[in-house]
Amino acid sequence: MTTTAVRNFPMLIGGEWVESADLLEIRDPQNDELVATAASGGAAHIDRAVEAARAAFREGSWSQAAPAERARLLRAVAAKVGDRLDELVELEIMANGATIRQATGFHIGYVAPHLEYFADLAERYAFERPAPRATFPTLAQSTVRKEPIGVVGAIAPWNFPLLLALWKIAPALAAGNSVVVKPDEKTPLSTLEFARIAEECGLPPGVLNVVPGPGPEAGARLASHPDVGKIAFTGSTEVGREIMRLAAGTVKKVTLELGGKSPSIVLDDADLEIAVDGVLYGCFLYSGQVCESGTRLLLPESLHDEFVERLVERAKTIVLGDTRDWETDLGPVISARQHSRILEYIASGVEQGATLAHGGGVPAGERFERGHWIEPTIFTGVRNDMRIAREEIFGPVLSVITYRADEEAVAIANDTSYGLASSLWSGDNDRALAIANEIEAGSVWINDAHQINCQVPFGGYKQSGLGRELGPDALDEYTETKNVHLDLSGRRDRRPYDVLLSHVD
């Protein structure tokens, strides 16, 4: 009996593709089959990558290049990503279980336009600007410069492996930094192939390095490394706290995009057809494995029964199946560990008194006996103090909570340690905008969900994160600010030195 050989993906350090004795097994979540292996890096590999990145930064062919030249290369990479879209989509879905529709539209489909946006930013960003001329205590002119930090460390999650890595890689490169990326060990393939594309387009060796490996070893070393000037992380709030602690040892800059428990607030004047589909989309896209998923549905008591009936009937039409089939709506969750965790949360919801209105287990059928499948699940009768309402499940579980007045809806929405996103559903824009002003979240989408726009900042309040990604100021997170002061007074007697030193003829 022969078995089909799986492709192995080495790591990229200093322009060289490096093998490792330790391998990561990449398994397809829909059937748990081994589909690839990747070199697994540890602290020593991170050290090599940081050294290569630092050397590339000091060499200057990228860090000192004109912003327009950096923009040109980023656009070339974007074009090649577009040319190789199908290949990157396959590398993505074989590792993280996204459907081909979703990966083509979002996971990989967003990569080229977002990269184009950062190329545009590189050209129009104010890397240098004059300050107002000073006349006191002396005549002087200051110039404010934005300079690259040096070596940036990026730690990306498994749910949107390439896109969320790109949100760190692209602004870092646009600003002139070198980068070391630590992708999640379950999903490194698309990021490794992206790095190969970047080097094929002419990115100098060492400017972009990719080291997959376990978080406690490779990720921890990257976050604590003294030669890394900035760490950007997307992942759970628990790990984010540890990243922040590790980074504090060398007082490096940090951005964190962490967990969420986002509310979808339906007002009593909402268009129910739009709101029902929007709530399902907001919660169940990618099996709820999105940090800003709308996993708490806040319904007015007057609408509850009708809305839930519509919600359940519409949820029954969601098709689970082969992730490579364009007719499939929903794929598996990422891993056996996550599968067990989600089922435990569902059990806790029942134990604490919530009512299962739909789903709640593994779908029936031979196809679903292998892999990590969970039905779209809807709970009613949920209180906001239940575990399923308070803790991030990261699975296809929607908790329905009722309220009586707008003020109560706002109070419930804000009664969480998270604050990443929120959706509002209403036929009255003024009313919705007024409520949006009261919501403690980094993004509030009115009559929509999952609207990630690279032209506006994204990030969270409270324990959902620190700093912002995307938007016109994204390069600020990847630069240091320097003031260069030029004295224009000339003569000694026009300077305030006599505050300390008496003048001697």
Side-chain angles (χ1 to χ4, degrees):
M1 178 178 176
T2 59
T3 57
T4 303
V6 298
R7 180 181 170 188
N8 180 60
F9 289 73
M11 67 186 86
L12 178 61
I13 299 177
E16 297 181 357
W17 293 97
V18 178
E19 300 286 357
S20 171
D22 297 321
L23 295 179
L24 302 169
E25 291 190 345
I26 312 303
R27 295 185 175 272
D28 190 332
Q30 70 177 337
N31 53 30
D32 206 34
E33 290 182 358
L34 181 68
V35 291
T37 58
S40 180
H45 295 98
I46 291 293
D47 287 347
R48 284 177 57 189
V50 171
E51 182 180 359
R54 191 179 183 199
F57 182 80
R58 288 178 168 177
E59 185 272 332
S61 59
W62 182 257
S63 59
Q64 296 176 30
E69 179 62 21
R70 294 200 291 263
R72 183 201 62 76
L73 189 137
L74 293 178
R75 291 193 181 99
V77 176
K80 199 156 191 177
V81 165
D83 293 341
R84 295 173 60 180
L85 179 69
D86 291 345
E87 176 188 353
L88 289 167
V89 165
E90 175 60 21
L91 291 175
E92 191 93 341
I93 67 178
M94 70 194 290
N96 77 349
T99 65
I100 191 169
R101 281 206 329 256
Q102 182 188 324
T104 302
F106 297 144
H107 287 248
I108 303 300
Y110 271 175
V111 170
H114 284 207
L115 193 50
E116 289 272 6
Y117 176 75
F118 284 111
D120 293 344
L121 271 189
E123 289 187 317
R124 67 173 185 264
Y125 187 70
F127 285 99
E128 186 172 304
R129 58 180 173 82
R133 181 166 292 186
T135 58
F136 181 84
T138 60
L139 186 65
Q141 176 66 56
S142 286
T143 301
V144 178
R145 291 178 49 82
K146 292 284 191 175
E147 298 183 343
I149 294 168
V151 179
V152 168
I155 302 177
W158 51 258
N159 57 344
F160 289 77
L162 179 52
L163 183 64
L164 295 183
L166 182 83
W167 286 6
K168 300 154 184 58
I169 295 168
L173 294 181
N177 297 284
S178 295
V179 185
V180 178
V181 185
K182 206 295 287 183
D184 188 276
E185 55 268 37
K186 294 181 288 299
T187 56
L189 307 184
S190 54
T191 304
L192 286 164
E193 199 61 26
F194 174 86
R196 187 182 296 276
I197 290 171
E199 291 216 329
E200 289 173 358
C201 290
L203 189 69
V207 173
L208 178 58
N209 308 269
V210 183
V211 181
E217 185 177 353
R221 178 55 179 162
L222 186 60
S224 63
H225 200 292
D227 291 330
V228 173
K230 160 70 186 280
I231 195 79
F233 169 80
T234 297
S236 71
T237 296
E238 179 183 6
V239 176
R241 294 190 193 102
E242 178 64 9
I243 295 293
M244 198 170 183
R245 185 189 69 80
L246 292 168
T250 51
V251 198
K252 54 173 58 71
K253 298 182 75 169
V254 176
T255 52
L256 303 172
E257 198 268 278
L258 307 176
K261 197 69 185 175
S262 301
S264 293
I265 306 171
V266 176
L267 303 184
D268 55 15
D269 59 2
D271 181 313
L272 297 193
E273 183 178 8
I274 293 175
V276 165
D277 278 6
V279 166
L280 291 173
Y281 171 71
C283 181
F284 294 142
L285 179 71
Y286 189 41
S287 295
Q289 299 173 122
V290 186
C291 51
E292 36 77 8
S293 292
T295 53
R296 292 184 296 152
L297 169 57
L298 278 53
L299 279 179
E301 288 183 347
S302 61
L303 281 183
H304 178 272
D305 292 352
E306 179 184 1
F307 197 95
V308 169
E309 181 179 358
R310 290 187 181 216
L311 197 70
V312 170
E313 289 306 307
R314 194 72 169 107
K316 291 177 181 178
T317 69
I318 297 174
V319 177
L320 283 75
D322 186 348
T323 55
R324 293 164 180 81
D325 186 339
W326 284 89
E327 298 302 313
T328 296
D329 298 320
L330 203 63
V333 298
I334 183 69
S335 66
R337 178 182 179 184
Q338 186 68 5
H339 186 263
S340 297
R341 181 176 181 270
I342 296 166
L343 290 178
E344 192 276 328
Y345 271 109
I346 292 172
S348 80
V350 174
E351 291 167 4
Q352 291 189 314
T355 300
L356 265 176
H358 180 67
V362 177
E366 184 178 351
R367 157 177 292 282
F368 306 113
E369 292 175 359
R370 300 177 65 201
H372 318 303
W373 300 90
I374 294 182
E375 298 171 300
T377 298
I378 301 172
F379 276 106
T380 58
V382 178
R383 302 185 313 273
N384 205 46
D385 61 354
M386 292 180 177
R387 284 187 65 203
I388 57 173
R390 300 209 70 78
E391 299 178 19
E392 185 178 41
I393 300 172
F394 229 60
V397 181
L398 178 64
S399 297
V400 181
I401 303 169
T402 58
Y403 69 89
R404 293 185 179 87
D406 291 358
E407 295 79 11
E408 184 183 7
V410 170
I412 295 171
N414 291 338
D415 181 18
T416 173
S417 60
Y418 298 110
L420 192 53
S422 176
S423 290
L424 281 167
W425 304 89
S426 174
D428 184 335
N429 288 345
D430 289 338
R431 181 184 180 193
L433 287 166
I435 292 175
N437 290 338
E438 303 299 318
I439 300 297
E440 297 168 353
S443 296
V444 180
W445 300 305
I446 297 175
N447 293 325
D448 218 331
H450 292 306
Q451 287 304 303
I452 304 299
N453 178 355
C454 61
Q455 299 182 72
V456 297
F458 181 78
Y461 284 32
K462 298 185 277 191
Q463 293 189 42
S464 284
L466 182 67
R468 293 294 183 268
E469 296 185 305
L470 307 179
D473 303 319
L475 268 61
D476 287 350
E477 300 281 4
Y478 295 89
T479 57
E480 293 283 12
T481 303
K482 177 185 288 184
N483 168 42
V484 178
H485 172 97
L486 175 63
D487 177 76
L488 299 175
S489 63
R491 289 165 36 185
R492 195 263 181 220
D493 60 0
R494 293 177 179 171
R495 305 182 190 207
Y497 296 170
D498 58 359
V499 171
L500 175 66
L501 301 169
S502 298
H503 181 63
V504 178
D505 292 330

